[in-house]
Amino acid sequence: MSHRSDPVLEPDPVLDAPFGAEPEPDALIQAAMRWHFSPETGSPFWLRTAETFDFDPRRDVRTFADLARFPNVVNQFRDVRVQDLIPRGYGPDPDVVGVYESGGTTGAPKRVVILEDWMRRLVANSQDLSDRRGVPNGVGWLSVVPSGPHVFGEFVGRQARQRGSVRFTVDLDPRWVRKVLADGRPEEAERYAEHVIDQAGRILETQDIGVLVTTPPLLERLARRDDLVKLVNEHVRVISWGGAHMDADTRSILRDEVFPEIQIYGVYGSTMVLGAAHERLGLTADDPCVFDPYSPYISFEVVDPQTRRPVGYGERGQVIMHHISRNALLPNNLERDLATRIEPPPGQMGDSVADVGPVAVFDDEPLIEGVY
């Protein structure tokens, strides 16, 4: 993805604001509209797509509410040429971290391009939250998550390196698990999951692991093995889960009964927002699992799926996600998740969410989670 003729433009004080000095939401939205829809800086995809609009994003999209004017274009990301997703303002040699794909739970996967400036910002946010949680530096990490084409592995690897840690990995192929489940072969999915846990077990038996990162289905499977539970309780200090949903009862059992001395927290992410929301700090044992997105770059709304109007706080609805940054624009994406709408912290754009769970059918396709 190099040798393009686009000039590199000067940094934008809003889009390139340093971590910890995030811009006001409306200022970010307006700067992003100028960037993504100006011929000198916008991506070929958005400049081409804008020709079909009955509005001018640079003139008419100025606030969070205005994002509703955009059509949901994410299904086009299944087939679009990925070079067309990179804003021209990055110049002829954009610093591409990688091309990453959605999980494929609802048909052919969608693709996004993640650039280095966004990845650094995303990791900086995660590191700040880890510091506030007291996640230790310099301890071994074990990540039992997929690598490419999923971004989860790259993201975890960067976090571990920044904390001065050695990361051990067990890769997995969640699409194979979904395929055999869809084909009516659950016993094959069971064998595969056991194979993954066997590999994780050998690392836990022989290495000093202080942080475990995995998915809820695999964490539940690990919790069935008394020998591995004993090892985890003796050595691991933090468990971070993500990549699939965890219901409230399972979360309570794992936290209070299986791993009572270990800090356990969740991460709710989506490839199509190029990131994740982290479990809110300071929740009590009686609180639901609340996720706060990295505002204003990532934001959520919880709506009635028929009317697209917000449900009340404390009510269930379907999640709409938005991503707005220099790297990418992905507004108004109706996700495959249901959640409870939660009042956000002061200054956050959009909603927080809790008790996230999958819809049964999405885009006329049955949803199969499997292990990720």
Side-chain angles (χ1 to χ4, degrees), residues 123 126-127 130-131 134-145 152-170 200 203-204 207-214 236-240 265 267 278:
V123 172
S126 179
Q127 294 290 63
S130 293
D131 288 342
V135 175
N137 291 323
V139 301
W141 283 46
L142 171 57
S143 66
V144 190
V145 302
F152 201 172
E154 173 70 22
F155 180 56
V156 173
R158 290 196 177 216
Q159 291 180 78
R161 287 196 298 274
Q162 291 223 352
R163 303 199 79 78
S165 302
V166 174
R167 180 174 69 117
F168 300 85
T169 62
V170 177
I203 295 171
L204 289 166
Q207 303 298 324
D208 297 323
I209 302 299
V211 175
L212 171 62
V213 184
T214 190
V236 173
R237 296 163 63 180
V238 175
I239 296 173
S240 174
Y265 68 90
V267 177
H278 292 252

Side-chain angles (χ1 to χ4, degrees), residues 9 13 62 102 120 130 140 143 150 153 185-186 202 204 208 223 252 256 262 292 301 316 368 370:
L9 300 187
R62 307 189 63 79
S102 63
R120 287 179 180 172
S130 293
S143 66
H150 307 285
R185 293 181 283 156
R202 284 191 285 273
L204 289 166
D208 297 323
S252 177
D256 300 333
I262 299 175
D292 299 318
E301 296 177 81
R316 301 285 288 173
I368 301 172

